């Protein structure tokens, strides 16, 4: 594009979208094109992934064709914008907007604000004011007129904050230039939009006072205080209170400056000396609740007599956790021990619109507070610090340094006297400050939250909705600031129920908005911590919020950040030090729920590396799960993923036990990673991650989760049209439906999977599908129909050389024969499975095969052989196995042990089996285990318990049409009812059982009974 053509373009996005070229307005298309263009222009020069643009284009539920529609929208915009291909550039897997400052009002705004900053620093206040006026004149309203959707609304919130910051800077300069009347009018106009913005209110109070309208200035403070108390239950901030106090006493430093003085902020006040010992502590809130342990620690440290020198106590914790409230409360409790003064200094380490208080200015304030005349306060820092320490000699003074960001601001203020006490609060622990007793302040405990809510709302209101009160505290993350704002809203809205507010808070996209009012809010507090970071750590903070896990292990964090684990650890440790992250245990990190929500709101504004970071962490999890599956399931057929192998450092996993433990540890994160991949359009990652996790979930008997991830894999494979992966995923889903008892759906998807496998020549998956179809027919009691499927599966598995798969099929065949009453055939199938297992050096189905063999041996009345098989099976039972398999082995052990006269052992095995089955989600296993336990209790003459267990088995088996166990349950109930003297009940159960056995072809002499 030529310079002339490029210069003729102009986009205005600080309001309804406008595009101009050669003086003519451009017609840019429909809402999707407009949202897409604005999203790119909000971050000019940055690459935005298609998934990010989809989120900007559609508020919720984007269509399946969204990515394609984004491509079409870009093409439309390129046609309608002169030289559009050079303005909207394809870059890798995303797009970026290439514009200059004179082509985009947002860039022009930034340029003007930066120019104003430089002019102010140079003392050219008039020119700085002109630059700011020009910047603010660019604003025409909310982005896209407020019709941009959730993502663009979030961006507009940030832009509005920048506009306010520029306006406040302009008002401050105008005040320094001596303006009053016009300034008052302009301030009132903006305050009408932002009535709780304390910086604006302070500027208005000063302007009114300097215009000779002292009473109006004081009324502004009173009106704001009333509004804050009613809506939030808090008082105005200390800086505003100091302006109010200064106006009351007509402090000379508040007078309009005779000449511009850019180095002296207009709102800085110096406490006026009083006749008695100075006390500038903020007021102690009346509803202080909880924190008993931390308060006791502070009081204990303060009263220690084994310390030489000044006692220093530090309180650190995340923003909003109540550090200042606790420190002020403790200071009031300790005030009588420091009769020579109790001084409070807000160091503004984390304060909106305030520069951190310099040590020299801080010393000037405390020296004046002690009564040192202004003309006796030295100019240089070292001399001031010496004067301060000399003034404190032989005095007992308590100094509360609030909101401290670094050690350098504290050191000159530390007294030498051992009779003094210094309390420090800050969001980061000052590790380079020696001799401090640090107390970490976490969020409140659930008990403290409950007590706080009851104190602020009243016990009657809480007792009317106790569950909602508990949930309210949980939704607030037990963060004191959040709980205080929530309860203040409820107090000010008596018609609101606790349940109503809880429901509002459930929407994570709006939760931070609900926990805010005016300038005060959780997001505002967290923003200050965030702004204190350098850009590298800000980016890391935003990126880590995208991590799928609640607990983040170090290797995955390094993968996401694109660095090694040592640099990742250093980065996360710094975020930990500033309490923007938590550390639940060594080498694992996480976010408080509200902090994660805040970080995600930042990431949603356009983190250029966010999409790449997500892809890196998905690559990492896919690589590790592939490695772990190879260790855990050596017979599994490898399949090319078509994705890159992660180059990140991987955890040292060298054997199956370590692989199993890793899967267990990371299971919830992997489930979240699959959802994240699905929502982000990473279909290959979705399908292969789901396949890898499905193996582990299936092995551990977590059938609901097994079904969920299998459905995800099927949907993803359909979307990107990989027939090979589709048939595997359908096969897995068919196995999941079997375990869930959803036979009709299972037969449908398994049949489709077999047909797809046959069409593409995938005999491995065809064999698996045949096995599952055999299973379904077996479960439905169609034994003759099941045999051909299982025989076909075994033939294919032998031809393909898949002994591990053949083991699986043989265990299904053995179970079929056992329920059919063909116990010799069942024993043969189980023994062949065990021979194959020994030949391949072990298999996860060994426990199942041994239990199958024991069932067959018990059916042949070879109880000693059955006990030998079960002894080997019990040696394989541990906490990592499928609880359904463990329960089956133990239930059968109880029955066999009793028949061998080992009553005590039998009772112990039965209890173990019942305990294990309680944790199994598979109705199939539970039905059969209850039947076996029922048989054990019947032979133990505990007929009532036998009847109860068989009835449970019948309920489970009937609900999923598990015909064999349904028949055995009815048969067991008939025997138990007869033993209890219920002849009619016994006859009814026996009749129903005989009908089922007849349909299945199970002869009476061969039944399990």
């Amino acid at each position: 594009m030529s310079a002339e053509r490029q210069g003729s373009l102009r986009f205005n996005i600080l309001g309804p979208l406008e595009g101009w070229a050669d003086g003519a307005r451009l017609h840019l298309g429909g809402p999707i094109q407009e949202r897409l263009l604005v999203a790119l222009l909000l971050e000019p020069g940055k690459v935005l992934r298609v998934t990010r643009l989809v989120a900007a284009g559609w508020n919720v539920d984007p269509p399946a064709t969204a990515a394609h529609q984004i491509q079409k929208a870009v093409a439309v915009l390129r046609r309608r914008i002169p030289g559009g291909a050079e303005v909207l550039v394809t870059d890798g897997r995303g797009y970026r907007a290439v514009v200059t400052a004179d082509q985009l009002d947002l860039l022009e705004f930034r340029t003007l604000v930066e120019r104003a900053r430089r002019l102010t620093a140079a003392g050219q206040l008039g020119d700085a004011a002109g630059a700011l006026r020009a910047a603010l004149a660019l604003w025409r309203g909310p982005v896209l007129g407020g019709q941009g959707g959730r993502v663009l609304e979030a961006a507009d919130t940030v832009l509005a904050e920048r506009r306010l910051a520029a306006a406040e800077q302009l008002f401050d300069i105008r005040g320094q230039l001596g303006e009053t009347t016009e300034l008052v009018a302009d301030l009132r106009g903006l305050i009408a939009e932002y009535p709780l913005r304390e910086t604006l209110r302070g500027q208005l109070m000063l302007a009114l006072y300097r215009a000779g309208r002292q009473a109006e200035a004081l009324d502004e403070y009173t009106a704001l205080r009333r509004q804050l108390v009613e809506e939030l239950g808090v008082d105005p901030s200390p800086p505003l209170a100091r302006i109010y106090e200064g106006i009351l006493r007509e402090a000379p430093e508040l007078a309009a400056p005779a000449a511009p003085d850019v180095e002296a902020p207009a709102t800085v006040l110096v406490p006026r000396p009083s006749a008695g010992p100075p006390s500038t502590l903020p007021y102690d809130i009346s509803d202080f609740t909880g924190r008993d342990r931390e308060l006791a620690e502070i009081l204990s440290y303060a009263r220690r007599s084994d310390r030489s020198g000044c006692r220093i106590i530090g309180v650190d914790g995340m923003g909003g956790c109540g550090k200042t409230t606790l420190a002020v409360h403790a200071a009031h409790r300790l005030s009588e021990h420091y009769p020579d003064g109790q001084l409070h200094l807000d160091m503004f380490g984390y304060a909106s619109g305030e520069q951190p208080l310099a040590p020299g200015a801080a010393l000037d304030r405390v020296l004046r507070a002690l009564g040192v005349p202004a003309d006796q306060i030295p100019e240089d820092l070292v001399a001031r610090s010496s004067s301060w320490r000399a003034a404190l000699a032989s005095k007992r003074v308590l100094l509360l340094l609030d909101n401290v960001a670094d050690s350098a601001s504290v050191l000159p203020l530390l007294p030498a006297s051992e009779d003094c006490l210094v309390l420090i609060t800050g969001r980061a622990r000052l590790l380079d400050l020696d001799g401090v007793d640090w107390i970490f302040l976490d969020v409140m405990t659930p008990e403290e939250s409950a007590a706080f809510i009851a104190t602020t709302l009243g016990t009657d209101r809480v007792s009317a909705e106790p569950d909602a009160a508990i949930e309210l505290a949980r939704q607030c993350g037990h963060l004191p600031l959040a709980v205080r704002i929530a309860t203040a809203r409820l107090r000010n809205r008596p018609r609101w129920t606790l349940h109503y507010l809880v429901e509002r808070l459930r929407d994570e996209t709006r939760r931070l908005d609900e926990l805010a009012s005016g300038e005060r809010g959780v997001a505002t507090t967290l923003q200050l911590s965030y702004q204190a970071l350098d850009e590298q750590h800000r980016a890391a903070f935003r990126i880590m919020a995208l991590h799928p896990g609640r607990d983040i292990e170090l290797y995955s964090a390094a993968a996401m950040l694109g660095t090694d684990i040592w640099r990742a650890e250093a980065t996360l440790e710094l975020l930990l030090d500033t309490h923007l992250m938590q550390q639940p245990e060594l080498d694992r990190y996480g976010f408080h729920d509200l902090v994660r929500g805040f970080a995600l709101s930042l990431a949603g504004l356009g983190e250029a590396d966010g999409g790449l970071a997500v892809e890196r962490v998905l690559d990492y999890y896919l690589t590790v799960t592939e490695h772990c599956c190879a260790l855990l399931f050596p017979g599994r057929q490898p399949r090319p993923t078509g994705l890159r192998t992660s180059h990140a450092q991987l955890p040292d996993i060298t054997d199956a036990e370590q692989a199993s433990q890793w899967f267990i540890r990371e299971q919830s994160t992997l489930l979240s990673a699959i959802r994240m991949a699905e929502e982000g359009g990473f279909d290959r990652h979705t399908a292969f991650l789901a396949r890898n996790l499905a193996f582990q979930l299936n092995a551990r008997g977590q059938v609901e989760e097994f079904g969920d991830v299998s459905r995800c894999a099927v949907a993803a494979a359909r979307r990107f049209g990989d027939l090979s992966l589709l048939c595997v995923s359908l096969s897995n889903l068919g196995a999941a439906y079997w375990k869930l008892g959803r036979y009709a759906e299972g037969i449908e998807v398994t049949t489709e999977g077999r047909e797809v496998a046959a069409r593409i020549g995938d005999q491995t998956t065809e064999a698996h599908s045949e096995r599952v179809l055999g299973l379904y027919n077996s479960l439905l009691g169609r034994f003759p129909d099941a045999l051909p499927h299982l025989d076909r599966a075994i033939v294919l598995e032998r031809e393909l050389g898949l002994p591990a798969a053949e083991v699986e099929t043989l265990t299904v065949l053995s179970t079929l024969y056992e329920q059919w009453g063909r116990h010799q055939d069942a024993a043969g199938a189980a023994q062949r499975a065990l021979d194959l297992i020994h030949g391949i050096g072990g298999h996860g189905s060994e426990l199942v095969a041994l239990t199958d063999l024991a069932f067959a041996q018990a059916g042949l009345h070879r109880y000693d052989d059955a006990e030998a098989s079960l002894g080997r099976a019990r040696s394989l039972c541990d906490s990592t196995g499928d609880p359904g398999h463990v329960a089956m082995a133990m239930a059968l052990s109880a029955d066999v042990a009793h028949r061998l006269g080992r009553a005590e052992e039998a009772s112990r095995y039965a209890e173990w089996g019942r305990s294990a089955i309680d944790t199994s989600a598979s109705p199939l296993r539970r039905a059969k285990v209850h039947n076996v336990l029922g048989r054990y209790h019947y032979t133990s003459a505990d007929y009532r318990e036998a009847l109860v267990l068989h009835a449970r088995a019948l309920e489970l088996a009937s609900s999923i049409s598990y015909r064999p166990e349904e028949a055995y349950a009815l048969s067991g109930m008939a025997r138990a009812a007869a033993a209890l003297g219920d002849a009619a009940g016994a006859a009814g159960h026996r009749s129903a059982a005989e009908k089922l056995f007849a349909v299945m072809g199970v002869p009476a002499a061969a039944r399990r009974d």
Side-chain angles (χ1 to χ4, degrees):
M1 188 185 345
S2 68
E4 180 181 356
R5 169 62 66 188
Q6 189 178 37
S8 68
L9 278 176
R10 174 73 179 188
F11 298 105
N12 296 326
I13 63 172
L14 300 178
L17 175 63
E18 294 179 347
W20 300 84
D22 296 327
R25 186 159 185 167
L26 299 174
H27 297 283
L28 298 168
I32 298 302
Q33 285 90 350
E34 290 188 349
R35 291 176 182 175
L36 166 66
L37 180 58
V38 169
L40 290 165
L41 291 175
L42 281 168
E43 298 191 81
K46 287 189 176 182
V47 179
L48 300 190
R49 293 289 299 271
V50 170
T51 51
R52 289 274 313 291
L53 295 172
V54 168
W58 288 269
N59 286 337
V60 292
D61 298 328
T65 60
H68 179 62
Q69 290 191 44
I70 291 295
Q71 295 172 353
K72 289 177 62 179
V74 171
V76 169
L77 287 169
R78 283 173 172 167
R79 289 196 303 270
R80 297 191 175 197
I81 297 171
E86 297 178 52
V87 176
L88 301 179
V89 177
T90 303
D91 195 332
R93 299 186 179 184
Y95 301 95
R96 59 187 171 91
V98 180
V99 289
T100 59
D102 61 343
Q103 292 177 308
L104 180 62
D105 56 356
L106 176 60
L107 288 178
E108 185 179 356
F109 172 81
R110 293 175 182 172
T111 301
L112 288 166
V113 170
E114 176 59 24
R115 182 186 304 165
R117 186 192 64 78
R118 292 195 303 269
L119 290 168
T120 301
Q124 301 175 36
L125 298 186
D127 293 338
L132 288 169
R133 284 192 175 94
L136 292 167
L138 296 169
W139 292 81
R140 298 170 295 111
V143 172
L144 276 180
Q147 302 301 311
R150 179 172 54 82
V151 172
L152 297 184
E153 283 176 4
D156 185 61
T157 300
V158 174
L159 293 176
E161 186 64 34
R162 292 177 182 170
R163 174 203 174 202
L164 276 172
E168 289 168 352
Q169 184 182 356
L170 175 59
F171 292 143
D172 187 60
I173 291 174
R174 290 171 65 185
Q176 293 182 58
L177 291 171
E179 286 192 43
T180 55
T181 304
E182 291 182 5
L183 184 56
V184 167
D186 292 344
L187 278 163
R188 288 198 189 279
L190 199 53
I191 287 173
E193 294 182 54
Y194 302 94
L196 298 182
R197 186 108 177 163
E198 293 188 45
T199 303
L200 292 174
R201 196 71 67 127
Q203 290 173 326
L204 176 58
M205 289 167 63
L206 283 172
L208 288 167
Y209 176 67
R210 290 169 179 171
R213 298 155 67 178
Q214 182 179 19
E216 291 179 61
L218 296 173
D219 285 344
E220 287 293 331
Y221 180 85
T222 302
L224 177 61
R225 184 179 185 280
R226 184 185 305 111
Q227 193 171 1
L228 288 172
V229 169
E230 289 176 353
E231 294 193 18
L232 301 178
V234 296
D235 275 336
S237 63
L240 197 65
R242 286 196 292 272
I243 295 176
Y244 175 71
E245 293 164 3
I247 293 172
L248 279 174
R249 58 185 174 82
E250 299 183 4
E253 61 269 20
L254 292 187
D261 183 359
V262 297
E263 295 182 359
T267 59
V268 171
L269 297 178
V270 179
R272 189 175 186 180
S274 59
S279 179
T280 61
L281 293 177
Y283 81 102
D284 189 14
I285 62 172
S286 59
D287 58 1
F288 185 89
T289 307
R291 303 302 197 187
D292 295 337
R293 180 182 60 81
E294 294 86 354
L295 179 61
E297 284 188 56
I298 294 176
L299 299 180
S300 175
Y301 287 148
R303 293 163 181 166
R304 283 171 59 179
S305 58
D306 60 343
R307 296 287 298 271
S308 60
C310 174
R311 277 164 290 188
I312 309 172
I313 302 170
V315 182
D316 69 309
M318 68 178 288
C321 70
K323 299 179 295 295
T324 298
T325 302
L326 173 63
V328 169
H329 185 69
H332 280 281
R333 290 279 299 270
L334 292 165
S335 60
E336 63 181 23
H337 300 287
Y338 297 93
D340 296 318
Q342 308 93 38
L343 305 179
H344 168 265
L345 272 181
D346 190 340
M347 303 300 290
F348 298 117
Y350 301 89
S352 177
E354 295 278 359
Q355 291 296 316
L357 189 62
L363 285 165
D364 181 80
R365 291 189 183 188
V366 291
L367 284 168
R368 290 178 184 241
L370 286 181
V372 179
D375 58 359
Q376 295 182 24
I377 297 176
E379 290 296 326
D380 67 278
L381 179 63
V382 174
R384 281 190 183 183
S385 183
S386 297
S387 298
W388 164 244
R389 293 189 174 109
L392 292 181
S394 72
K395 290 185 181 293
R396 298 179 62 85
V397 171
L398 183 152
L399 177 63
L400 172 52
L401 300 177
D402 194 16
N403 214 4
V404 174
D406 56 65
S407 300
S409 62
V410 172
L411 284 169
L413 289 156
L414 297 180
S417 170
E418 63 182 28
D419 294 326
C420 291
L421 171 67
V422 178
L423 296 177
I424 297 172
T425 73
R427 300 189 185 182
R429 184 165 292 192
L430 310 180
L431 299 177
D432 53 344
L433 193 62
D434 298 327
V436 183
D437 291 311
W438 283 102
I439 297 170
F440 169 62
L441 193 63
D442 204 347
V443 297
M444 294 187 292
T445 65
E447 294 75 19
E448 288 175 327
S449 295
F452 181 65
I453 292 173
T455 299
T456 52
L457 289 182
T459 55
D460 290 343
R461 196 167 179 186
V462 171
S463 61
E465 299 180 85
D467 293 338
I470 293 171
E471 182 62 14
L472 176 64
R474 195 188 70 79
Q475 291 288 347
C476 291
H478 302 288
L479 186 68
L481 175 62
V483 177
R484 179 172 288 280
I485 291 173
T487 53
R489 298 192 76 187
L490 287 168
R491 237 184 14 253
N492 196 46
R493 295 166 175 80
R495 293 186 181 276
W496 282 22
T497 63
L498 275 72
H499 177 75
Y500 176 72
L501 181 55
V502 165
E503 290 304 310
R504 291 174 68 99
L505 291 173
R506 289 191 195 280
D507 184 351
E508 293 185 3
T509 63
R510 291 190 49 80
R511 187 178 299 163
L512 290 174
D513 294 332
E514 294 289 344
L515 297 175
S517 182
E519 287 189 325
R520 295 177 187 270
V522 175
T524 303
T525 299
L526 296 174
Q527 179 74 25
L528 301 174
S529 296
Y530 171 74
Q531 288 174 341
L533 301 173
D534 59 32
E535 184 49 44
Q536 174 191 348
H537 289 94
R538 288 182 189 178
F541 176 68
R542 297 191 298 267
I543 286 173
M544 291 314 303
L546 301 172
H547 194 284
R550 293 189 64 85
D551 286 346
I552 303 170
E553 51 92 18
L554 196 52
Y555 287 95
S556 65
M560 199 163 197
L561 293 172
T563 186
D564 58 58
I565 60 171
W566 308 116
R567 289 189 178 90
E569 182 178 42
T571 298
L572 298 184
E573 285 292 320
L574 186 140
L575 295 175
L576 183 66
D577 288 341
T578 56
H579 300 295
L580 285 170
M581 293 195 80
Q582 300 170 328
Q583 189 168 51
E585 55 186 286
L586 189 65
D587 290 340
R588 299 187 81 83
Y589 301 83
F591 286 95
H592 184 280
D593 286 346
L594 296 179
V595 178
R596 179 187 285 274
F598 168 72
L600 286 173
S601 73
L602 298 174
L605 296 180
E607 178 57 53
D609 295 330
L612 293 175
V614 167
E615 190 168 9
R616 284 196 299 266
V617 81
L618 292 176
D619 287 341
Y620 165 81
Y621 280 122
L622 183 56
T623 301
V624 180
T625 55
E626 287 280 335
H627 173 67
C628 288
C629 283
L631 293 171
L632 286 165
F633 313 105
R636 187 182 81 148
Q637 182 183 19
R639 291 181 179 274
T641 65
L643 297 166
R644 64 187 179 195
T645 300
S646 174
H647 297 298
Q649 291 175 265
L650 305 181
D652 187 20
I653 302 172
T654 58
D655 57 39
E657 175 63 24
Q658 291 176 335
S660 178
Q661 291 300 321
W662 185 86
F663 261 123
I664 292 170
R665 186 75 177 267
E666 299 299 321
Q667 178 177 308
S668 63
T669 298
L670 291 170
L671 289 169
S672 297
I674 291 169
R675 287 194 296 272
M676 182 173 74
E678 185 178 33
E679 292 169 1
F682 296 93
D683 286 332
R684 285 192 174 274
H685 290 88
T686 302
F688 282 101
L689 270 175
R691 176 182 183 241
N692 291 347
L693 185 56
F695 271 81
Q696 177 70 6
L697 294 170
N698 186 21
R700 289 183 55 77
Q702 294 176 267
V703 292
E704 289 289 350
E705 293 85 351
F706 178 30
D708 289 341
V709 300
S710 297
R711 281 189 290 272
C712 285
V714 168
R718 288 193 197 279
R719 281 195 297 271
F720 67 85
D722 187 324
L723 291 180
S724 175
L725 186 57
L726 176 60
C727 69
V728 172
S729 302
L730 286 166
S731 182
N732 285 337
L733 183 56
Y737 281 148
W738 150 53
K739 293 197 172 186
L740 287 167
R742 296 166 61 174
Y743 300 161
E745 295 166 281
I747 291 173
E748 181 181 347
V749 299
T750 305
T751 301
E752 182 188 358
R754 183 188 62 177
E755 292 170 354
V756 174
R759 187 161 72 246
I760 64 175
D762 183 352
Q763 290 188 312
T764 301
T765 304
E766 185 181 356
H768 182 271
S769 299
E770 291 284 11
R771 179 201 311 152
V772 175
L773 288 170
L775 240 173
Y776 278 121
N777 281 284
S778 174
L779 296 171
L780 292 168
R782 303 169 186 165
F783 299 138
D785 295 336
L787 275 178
H789 289 296
L790 296 176
D791 289 340
R792 171 64 175 162
I794 290 172
V795 168
L796 287 172
E797 288 157 353
R798 287 178 181 171
E799 289 178 354
L800 295 168
L802 301 174
E806 188 179 348
V807 166
E808 300 281 352
T809 306
L810 286 167
T811 61
V812 175
L813 183 61
S814 179
T815 299
L816 180 151
Y817 281 137
E818 184 271 330
Q819 292 177 323
W820 203 350
R822 296 170 57 173
H823 301 297
Q824 195 64 52
D825 290 332
Q831 189 59 59
R832 290 202 305 277
L834 287 168
D835 291 342
L836 285 171
I837 288 170
H838 297 151
I840 61 178
H843 188 278
S845 293
E846 185 173 6
L847 170 59
V848 177
L850 284 166
T851 306
D852 287 341
L853 180 58
F855 265 112
Q857 291 164 335
L860 295 167
H861 304 291
R862 291 160 41 192
Y863 294 114
D864 286 325
D865 291 340
E867 170 55 27
S869 298
L870 288 168
R872 292 163 58 195
R874 289 192 296 270
S875 70
L876 300 174
C877 294
D878 58 34
S879 60
T880 64
D882 183 332
H885 296 160
V886 173
M888 188 71 73
M890 292 305 159
L892 185 58
S893 291
D895 186 41
V896 170
H898 180 75
R899 292 176 188 274
L900 292 172
R902 302 171 184 171
E904 187 176 340
E905 288 181 31
S907 177
R908 188 169 68 252
Y909 295 146
E911 184 59 34
W912 189 349
R914 295 187 75 159
S915 175
I917 200 61
D918 286 343
T919 64
S920 173
S922 170
L924 298 167
R925 289 291 176 189
R926 291 169 63 195
K928 187 167 183 176
V929 168
H930 281 127
N931 269 335
V932 175
L933 287 173
R935 184 172 66 177
Y936 155 71
H937 280 283
Y938 177 81
T939 58
S940 302
D942 188 354
Y943 305 126
R944 291 196 180 280
E945 185 63 16
L947 185 62
V948 168
L949 286 164
H950 284 305
R952 289 178 184 169
L954 178 63
E955 181 182 1
L956 285 164
S958 301
S959 69
I960 56 175
S961 301
Y962 189 5
R963 297 292 179 245
E965 292 307 318
E966 193 176 343
Y968 282 115
L970 286 164
S971 178
M973 290 172 70
R975 288 197 315 274
L980 291 168
D982 181 6
H989 297 321
R990 188 177 300 111
S991 174
E994 289 300 329
K995 290 178 181 177
L996 287 173
F997 280 129
V999 170
M1000 293 186 294
V1002 183
R1007 294 171 193 167
R1008 188 186 301 156
D1009 304 336

